[in-house]
Amino acid sequence: MGDLRPDGNGLPPDDGGSHRDELPDFPPEWGPVIIPDDASELDGEAEALRRELRRHARQTTLRSALGLRKPNETHKGPRHESSPLGVPAVIMTVAVLTTLISLFVVIWGHQANGPSPSTGPTGAGPVPASTAVSGSRPATLVDTILDDANGQPVRLGSLLPAVVLLVDRCDCAVLVPELAAAAPPGVTIVPVAERVSQTNVANIHALADPKLLLRAMLTDPAQHTPPAAIAVLLDSKGAVVYTDASVQTAAELTAQVAKLAV
């Protein structure tokens, strides 16, 4: 081991003066400064110093990028000038994050509540093979106007309660009168075809549909329609309570037609 004294013993001259050509003493607050003979003994301190310098450099670079340099920090050269975009960049980042969070809350709220139900009128869909329906009222069905055998316009809603029968693709010469005979008082049997003739049965009111409006409303053109009558039962309020897309005999509808008088 040695020190920075010229004579190597670390002791001042006897006369109390300094050695000739001697370097100035270190400040007293530094304490004794000892330089080891082997420099590798300082590896630990050197590595700690390098870590400290790197940490300080990273902090300085970050503060410079954000324009947050301390007022007492002064650096020369354009490389170390504070970026004027730092504060605006922070403001923009906060604004973007706030917008994204608000958007997420709105979307999540809509998904939690589910789609709002439709309140508009609903048209009649294709008639299934045989279905009991409760509480549905296709406005376009009861408001349909067709001509009777005398050419007079008749609104379906004026014949309620009614059994609407699409008979243009079946041999229903027996079905219609048998169903009329089995129907309770007040229930109207409404056979609908492209052309109709006058009938003397009181509860049968035939209507002509040359453009097949009801068939287009109640059936799916893409599906094959069997050679049978299509029945739609409407109660006194115009609600569809039963449908059958393949009626062959009156007995198939007798029980359902009886409920229309209730």
Side-chain angles (χ1 to χ4, degrees):
M1 292 284 183
D3 60 15
L4 296 181
R5 304 295 182 175
D7 55 3
N9 58 14
L11 298 176
D14 295 336
D15 57 1
S18 61
H19 293 284
R20 181 174 296 178
D21 300 328
E22 183 182 358
L23 295 174
D25 290 339
F26 293 112
E29 60 269 16
W30 286 17
V33 178
I34 301 175
I35 301 177
D37 295 333
D38 187 0
S40 62
E41 298 182 18
L42 299 176
D43 287 346
E45 289 81 353
E47 181 60 28
L49 178 60
R50 283 192 290 268
R51 285 198 301 268
E52 179 65 21
L53 291 175
R54 286 195 295 267
R55 184 185 64 83
H56 180 73
R58 287 194 298 267
Q59 291 179 349
T60 302
T61 302
L62 180 60
R63 295 179 65 87
S64 298
L66 298 178
L68 301 176
R69 188 180 300 280
K70 295 180 180 179
N72 59 353
E73 291 181 353
T74 57
H75 296 276
K76 296 180 180 181
R79 179 181 177 181
H80 299 284
E81 293 180 356
S82 297
S83 172
L85 300 178
V87 175
V90 173
I91 296 176
M92 290 180 62
T93 301
V94 173
V96 170
L97 290 176
T98 303
T99 303
L100 291 177
I101 293 174
S102 301
L103 182 61
F104 171 77
V105 171
V106 172
I107 294 176
W108 180 79
H110 279 293
Q111 292 179 346
N113 296 331
S116 58
S118 174
T119 57
T122 304
V127 176
S130 180
T131 306
V133 184
S134 176
S136 62
R137 183 183 179 182
T140 54
L141 179 60
V142 296
D143 293 334
T144 301
I145 298 176
L146 301 174
D147 293 339
D148 61 12
N150 297 321
Q152 298 297 319
V154 178
R155 178 176 172 270
L156 283 180
S158 65
L159 303 175
L160 303 176
V163 179
V164 180
L165 293 172
L166 272 63
V167 297
D168 54 300
R169 295 186 182 179
C170 72
D171 184 6
C172 299
V174 177
L175 171 64
V176 174
E178 286 185 352
L179 193 58
V187 177
T188 306
I189 307 301
V190 186
V192 179
E194 294 184 57
R195 294 182 299 274
V196 295
S197 58
Q198 185 68 37
T199 177
N200 295 326
V201 182
N203 63 342
I204 297 179
H205 202 124
L207 297 177
D209 186 9
K211 296 182 179 180
L212 301 179
L213 297 178
L214 285 184
R215 179 167 291 277
M217 184 186 306
L218 299 175
T219 62
D220 185 355
Q223 296 181 353
H224 173 69
T225 303
I230 296 177
V232 179
L233 278 61
L234 304 172
D235 65 10
S236 59
K237 296 181 180 180
V240 178
V241 295
Y242 186 81
T243 62
D244 194 330
S246 181
V247 180
Q248 300 285 350
T249 64
E252 300 174 31
L253 294 177
T254 302
Q256 297 296 333
V257 172
K259 297 178 182 179
L260 294 178
V262 177

